[in-house]
């Protein structure tokens, strides 16, 4: 073989060896770079997903960072990078590297997936600045899907009557169709989960007013709730709250009638069985959110216990009439004493009572001193006292409730004691006419009698005045008799007598007698003898009873008369 031929063959062997070497290197390089990702991944709208990713690399390469791209025929759009400003929409701010480059993990997390991400083909590139391996030959396609959409509740009517039933349906736009449903009822500020799991339910326990329904639809891809409630309005006839009431203060009346109804009710008022305009003056009526108010001045005097106010509420579904509770300051406040009979040194209890609605909250006690009152420390309805005198008080109590306060009349404590005759009791004698007054204090009232020898009684009367008893005796006093006149007083606790002193004189001047002469003296003696006999005959007559006063001598004012005996 020629040398020239050998030279050509050598060159071919060198070229072949080089090509084989290059092919060996390429095959080795391709074999050591590999990426494992799914070909497709599903994600629900507004949810998050992690794309699993692993890779291998040649032993000679030490990977440092990864960038994710979206496949494109001409460019390299970035969907993840450490430089957020390089990321394209709609991925900007929604991708996060969750793998570990050193351990061969290239996983990517997508948060809040959007419909605009649908059908994007993504792939990772390890160290794109230095590695020339074509990683875009293997991509993962995003399938962004909704959960059921357009979920809403529907029914034939949104208004019904109390006690009737309503059928509701949960509708949605879903592929595949929704297979599971949940129902929620919201009313009075709280949400309750219903037991039904079907797309259609029948509700029978609807309450007054608004009932808001929601539903949730679910298929194999996810679930979604209805975005707005379906409101069923339940209409009903009026119902008047038992809290409705009236307040009376003096002649002023104010009433509140609280009504629940749908639609809103109209209201009519009656006062004491007649139209409010006939029973009241200055009538005012107004309503705010079904709270109806009546006010005015009462024209006719009646006690609170005999007042009636009625509210009648009505709408297209029915009516209700209600007699309102009438509230007022305590009425008929009075003081009672227990025991009714008490002696000095004993104890007693005064009780303050009244008719009150609402109930009495507090009591106050006062002792009256002429033109002023002193409040006592007792705050209950009972006042306990130790009797220290014949006259105690007067006392007064007041009762207060949430409407106002009322007071009792002043009351004296009734203390029993034996009779006491006033030292001021006396007799006056003028021209042989005697008038005696005996003033007695006692409780109970004493019986007053007189001992008056030598007195021809004209009249006797007793009268009660200002807590005392005054007994009066008038008559003619004969000369020559004992002029001692005694007043006697007695009740069940004792008796007392007092001999009364005389004021004035009936002596006749001796000079006048001498001038009259003997004839006049004889006439006087004759008349005296006749009167003496008359007086003696009167002493055998039965005791005298009370003689009614007549003419100008009768006492004026409110007086009481008691039986007066003559002995």
């Amino acid at each position: 073989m020629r040398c020239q031929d050998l030279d050509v063959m050598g060159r071919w062997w060198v070229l072949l060896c080089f090509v084989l070497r290059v092919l060996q290197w390429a095959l080795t390089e391709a074999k050591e770079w590999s990426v494992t990702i799914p070909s497709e991944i599903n994600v629900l709208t507004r949810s998050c997903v992690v794309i699993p990713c692993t890779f291998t690399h040649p032993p000679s390469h030490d990977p440092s960072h990864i960038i994710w791209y979206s496949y494109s025929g001409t460019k390299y759009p970035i969907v993840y990078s450490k430089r957020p400003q390089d990321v394209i929409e709609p991925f900007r701010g929604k991708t996060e590297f969750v793998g570990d480059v050193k351990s061969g993990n290239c996983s990517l997390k997508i948060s809040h997936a959007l419909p605009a991400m649908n059908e994007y083909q993504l792939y990772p590139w390890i160290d794109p600045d230095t590695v020339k391996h074509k990683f875009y030959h293997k991509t993962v396609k995003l399938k962004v899907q909704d959960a059921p959409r357009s979920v809403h509740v529907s029914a034939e009517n949104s208004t019904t009557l109390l006690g009737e039933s309503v059928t509701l349906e949960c509708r949605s736009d879903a592929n595949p169709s929704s297979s599971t449903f949940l129902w929620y009822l919201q009313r009075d500020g709280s949400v309750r989960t219903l037991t039904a799991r079907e797309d259609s339910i029948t509700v029978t326990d609807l309450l007054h007013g608004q009932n808001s329904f929601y539903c949730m639809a679910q298929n194999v891809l996810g679930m979604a709730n209805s975005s707005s409630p379906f409101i069923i309005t339940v209409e009903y006839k009026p119902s008047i709250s038992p809290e409705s009431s009236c307040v009376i203060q003096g002649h002023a009346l104010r009433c509140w009638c609280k009504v629940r109804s749908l639609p809103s009710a109209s209201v009519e008022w009656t006062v004491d069985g007649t139209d409010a305009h006939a029973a009241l003056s200055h009538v005012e009526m107004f309503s705010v959110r079904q709270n109806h108010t009546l006010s005015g001045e009462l024209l006719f005097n009646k006690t609170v216990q005999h007042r009636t106010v009625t509210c009648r509420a009505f709408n297209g579904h029915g009516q209700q009439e209600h007699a309102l509770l009438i509230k007022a300051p305590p009425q008929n406040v009075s003081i009672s004493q227990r025991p009714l009979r008490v002696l000095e040194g004993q104890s007693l209890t005064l009780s303050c009572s009244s008719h009150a609605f609402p109930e009495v909250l507090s009591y106050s006690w006062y002792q009256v001193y002429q033109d002023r009152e002193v409040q006592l420390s007792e705050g209950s309805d009972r006042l306990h006292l130790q009797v220290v005198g014949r006259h105690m008080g007067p006392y007064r109590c007041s009762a207060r409730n949430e409407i106002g306060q009322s007071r009792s009349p002043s009351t004296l404590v009734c203390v029993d004691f034996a009779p006491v005759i006033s030292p001021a009791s006396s007799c006056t004698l003028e021209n042989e006419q005697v008038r005696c007054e005996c003033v007695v204090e006692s409780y109970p009232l004493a019986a007053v009698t007189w001992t008056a020898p030598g007195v021809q009684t004209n009249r006797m009367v007793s009268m009660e005045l200002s807590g005392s008893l005054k007994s009066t005796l008038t008559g003619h006093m004969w000369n020559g008799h004992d002029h001692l006149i005694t007043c006697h007083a007695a009740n069940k606790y004792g008796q007392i007598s007092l001999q009364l002193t005389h004021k004035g004189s009936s002596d006749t001047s001796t000079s006048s007698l001498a001038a009259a002469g003997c004839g006049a003296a004889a006439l006087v003696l004759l008349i005296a003898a006749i009167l003496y006999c008359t007086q003696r005959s009167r002493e055998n007559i039965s005791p005298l009873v009370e003689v009614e006063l007549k003419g100008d001598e009768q006492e004026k004012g409110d007086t009481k008369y008691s039986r007066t005996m003559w002995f």
Side-chain angles (χ1 to χ4, degrees):
M1 181 175 291
R2 294 178 300 176
C3 293
Q4 185 178 1
D5 293 335
L6 291 173
D7 184 55
V8 171
M9 291 183 61
R11 290 178 179 177
W12 278 104
W13 277 110
V14 172
L15 179 62
L16 179 62
C17 290
F18 175 76
V19 171
L20 292 175
R21 188 69 177 175
V22 170
L23 290 174
Q24 183 182 10
W25 176 85
L27 290 173
T28 302
E29 187 76 7
K31 183 178 180 180
E32 292 181 354
W33 281 109
S34 67
V35 175
T36 304
I37 55 175
S39 61
E40 187 176 280
I41 193 165
N42 295 319
V43 57
L44 293 177
T45 302
R46 296 182 297 276
S47 65
C48 65
V49 65
V50 174
I51 301 175
C53 175
T54 59
F55 70 93
T56 61
H57 59 87
S60 60
H61 187 84
D62 184 17
S64 60
H65 73 281
I66 296 176
I67 295 178
W68 278 78
Y69 295 89
S70 171
Y71 180 80
S72 173
T74 58
K75 299 180 180 180
Y76 296 88
I78 297 175
V79 298
Y80 167 75
S81 171
K82 291 183 178 180
R83 290 167 50 89
Q85 64 271 23
D86 295 339
V87 178
I88 65 171
E89 293 290 351
F91 293 93
R92 183 176 297 168
K94 298 179 177 62
T95 55
E96 177 186 359
F97 181 70
V98 293
D100 183 4
V101 177
K102 299 300 183 181
S103 62
N105 189 331
C106 51
S107 299
L108 179 71
K109 179 181 179 181
I110 300 176
S111 301
H112 200 76
L114 300 175
M117 300 176 183
N118 190 42
E119 298 295 328
Y120 270 78
Q121 298 180 64
L122 310 181
Y123 63 91
W125 197 308
I126 294 89
D127 295 333
D129 295 334
T130 59
V131 176
K132 303 303 180 182
H133 180 74
K134 296 177 176 59
F135 290 93
Y136 50 75
H137 289 304
K138 182 174 285 188
T139 63
V140 55
K141 181 181 288 187
L142 288 180
K143 289 287 188 179
V144 180
Q145 300 173 329
D146 289 335
R149 296 180 297 178
S150 303
V151 181
H152 63 280
V153 180
S154 65
E156 290 186 3
N157 296 306
S158 60
T159 301
T160 187
L161 293 178
L162 185 65
E164 295 186 354
S165 61
V166 173
T167 299
L168 305 172
E169 292 185 355
C170 184
R171 299 181 180 273
S172 64
D173 180 13
N175 186 17
S177 299
S178 301
S179 57
T180 303
F181 301 87
L182 288 176
W183 289 90
Y184 306 95
L185 170 59
Q186 179 181 10
R187 59 190 175 198
D188 298 331
S190 62
V191 178
R192 178 166 62 96
T193 302
L194 306 182
T195 58
R197 294 294 182 267
E198 297 79 20
D199 63 341
S200 177
I201 62 171
T202 299
V203 183
T204 59
D205 60 343
L206 296 171
L207 297 183
H208 307 81
Q210 293 187 340
N211 300 260
S212 301
F213 289 89
Y214 299 81
C215 74
M216 184 276 292
Q218 180 177 4
N219 64 7
V220 294
L221 298 178
M223 63 181 67
N225 292 312
S226 54
S227 57
S228 59
F230 183 83
I231 299 175
I232 296 180
T233 302
V234 179
E235 295 187 348
Y236 52 97
K237 70 178 184 179
S239 174
I240 300 177
S241 169
E243 297 176 358
S244 301
S245 61
C246 295
V247 171
I248 294 180
Q249 290 183 307
H251 290 282
L253 172 71
R254 189 174 182 87
C255 299
W256 296 268
C257 186
K258 186 175 182 180
V259 182
R260 291 187 63 190
S261 67
L262 197 64
S264 296
S266 299
V267 166
E268 291 181 350
W269 297 89
T270 58
V271 178
D272 297 337
T274 187
D275 181 78
H277 290 87
L280 300 173
S281 63
H282 306 96
V283 179
E284 292 184 0
M285 300 180 186
F286 58 91
S287 302
V288 177
R289 296 182 181 178
Q290 299 206 71
N291 291 314
H292 306 273
T293 302
L294 167 71
S295 62
E297 295 288 327
L298 293 163
L299 295 176
F300 308 105
N301 289 325
K302 284 187 178 181
T303 61
V304 172
Q305 291 84 354
H306 294 88
R307 293 283 184 188
T308 58
V309 178
T310 302
C311 171
R312 186 177 78 91
F314 56 93
N315 65 8
H317 302 303
Q319 66 172 5
Q320 186 181 30
E321 188 173 288
H322 184 68
L324 274 58
L325 294 173
I326 298 181
K327 301 179 181 180
Q331 305 291 303
N332 304 325
V333 182
S334 62
I335 296 176
S336 60
Q337 174 183 321
R338 290 291 183 274
L340 291 176
R341 299 292 187 185
V342 63
L343 298 175
E344 291 183 70
Q346 296 180 338
S347 60
L348 61 86
T349 300
L350 299 181
S351 298
C352 188
S353 60
S354 65
H355 298 289
F357 183 82
E359 65 182 10
V360 174
L361 300 176
S362 63
Y363 295 88
S364 298
W365 288 91
Y366 305 87
Q367 188 167 2
V368 182
Y369 293 96
Q370 296 179 352
D371 59 344
R372 64 187 181 95
E373 292 183 345
V374 176
Q375 184 171 352
L376 306 180
S377 60
E378 183 60 52
S380 70
D381 63 335
R382 298 174 185 272
L383 178 64
H384 302 284
L385 298 173
Q386 187 74 24
V387 179
V388 295
R390 298 171 185 170
H391 304 290
M392 295 183 64
Y395 294 92
R396 188 193 302 273
C397 73
S398 67
R400 180 188 296 275
N401 63 10
E402 66 182 55
I403 307 302
Q405 175 179 283
S406 299
R407 310 180 72 184
S408 71
S410 58
T411 302
L412 282 168
V413 173
C414 298
V415 180
D416 288 5
F417 59 96
V420 176
I421 299 178
S422 171
S425 301
S426 63
C427 294
T428 58
L429 180 62
E430 186 174 357
N431 296 328
E432 299 182 349
Q433 294 297 315
V434 65
R435 177 183 175 87
C436 298
E437 291 185 351
C438 183
V439 179
V440 180
E441 288 191 50
S442 66
Y443 196 86
L445 290 177
V448 177
T449 56
W450 293 88
T451 301
V455 176
Q456 179 182 353
T457 304
N458 292 334
R459 69 192 67 180
M460 296 164 292
V461 65
S462 297
M463 57 185 172
E464 181 186 357
L465 189 62
S466 300
S468 299
L469 181 69
K470 182 170 72 173
S471 181
T472 304
L473 168 71
T474 60
H476 182 81
M477 178 172 287
W478 295 101
N479 289 325
H481 284 77
D482 186 1
H483 293 170
L484 298 179
I485 300 177
T486 305
C487 173
H488 310 275
N491 65 10
K492 66 178 182 179
Y493 297 110
Q495 60 183 5
I496 191 172
S497 298
L498 179 65
Q499 181 177 310
L500 306 185
T501 60
H502 295 187
K503 299 179 181 179
S505 176
S506 62
D507 292 340
T508 304
S509 174
T510 54
S511 61
S512 299
L513 293 176
C518 294
L523 180 60
V524 170
L525 291 175
L526 177 60
I527 294 173
I530 295 173
L531 292 176
Y532 177 79
C533 294
T534 304
Q535 176 65 29
R536 294 295 295 174
S537 63
R538 286 181 179 269
E539 292 181 359
N540 296 322
I541 299 177
S542 299
L544 295 177
V545 297
E546 177 184 341
V547 179
E548 182 180 2
L549 290 176
K550 297 181 181 179
D552 295 335
E553 293 187 22
Q554 183 171 348
E555 298 283 350
K556 296 182 179 179
D558 294 334
T559 59
K560 296 182 180 178
Y561 301 93
S562 62
R563 182 179 181 88
T564 301
M565 302 300 294
W566 167 258
F567 292 88

